[in-house]
Amino acid sequence: MDKRLQDWAHPSNITMIVMGVELLKTIIILGYNTYEEQDFACYYEHMQNVLRGNYKYDEIGSRAGPLVYPALHTYLLMFFYKYLSDDGMYFRPVQCFSAIIYLACVYLMIKITQMAFHRQPKRANILILHCFSWTIYNIAIVKLFNDLYCVFF
């Protein structure tokens, strides 16, 4: 194999490439993609139920349906609502916080994969394919599903 290609495929270079592409995609999504107001409105209705003192899971609902997330996700969103979004007025800071957690998850995934392939580090270069996934952004940053926080914490 050519020496330049071997240097390019070094795990530290792959880490920088994947993180660079992910950061660029995150900036594009945060800059040009609007958030899913319907999902946040549904979360807001769930939070309002809990804030009014209703802690019975089967009674907490919204116009979109019953609460299906774990209680910790609802409390986490209440924290975001109160401290990051200025009582629901600004949604972008919540998405930026989710983007930071997402990038930390990607970095951890890269490092764990590279450690798993420590005897054959070039096989970990499959991580470049991660750069082509847009679905994860929709789940983690745009719609704020609980999957991101479950993976990270």
Side-chain angles (χ1 to χ4, degrees), residues 37-89:
E37 188 173 326
Q38 178 182 359
D39 290 327
F40 192 66
C42 178
Y43 297 151
Y44 177 72
E45 289 179 40
H46 292 153
M47 288 183 284
Q48 290 302 318
N49 277 307
V50 174
L51 289 172
R52 276 182 259 159
N54 185 3
Y55 297 107
K56 295 182 181 177
Y57 233 68
D58 56 341
E59 294 178 6
I60 299 174
S62 67
R63 59 190 144 133
L67 176 62
V68 295
Y69 292 109
L72 183 59
H73 184 252
T74 303
Y75 285 110
L76 184 65
L77 288 172
M78 285 182 357
F79 173 80
F80 290 161
Y81 174 79
K82 187 172 184 178
Y83 295 106
L84 290 180
S85 71
D86 195 21
D87 292 334
M89 297 300 293

